[in-house]
Amino acid sequence: MRQQVKRAFKYRFYPTDEQAAELSRTFGCVRLVYNKALEERTQA
């Protein structure tokens, strides 16, 4: 039996101020949608 080698990579990026602002808005929207879906699921 062959062993499978598992590898992991770490990435880091340094966004510009404009990119950081866009990421912040995007994650804010994602958080809002997730929380609303979670609330709907909890009430169901």
Side-chain angles (χ1 to χ4, degrees), residues 26-40:
T26 301
F27 291 136
C29 291
V30 168
R31 185 171 39 253
L32 177 72
V33 170
Y34 176 81
N35 285 335
K36 285 190 176 283
L38 183 61
E39 182 181 353
E40 287 290 322

Side-chain angles (χ1 to χ4, degrees), residues 1-16:
M1 181 181 252
R2 290 181 50 169
Q3 285 186 333
Q4 185 176 358
V5 177
K6 295 183 180 180
R7 295 183 181 174
F9 297 95
K10 285 188 176 182
Y11 294 97
R12 176 145 185 156
F13 78 109
Y14 301 93
T16 64

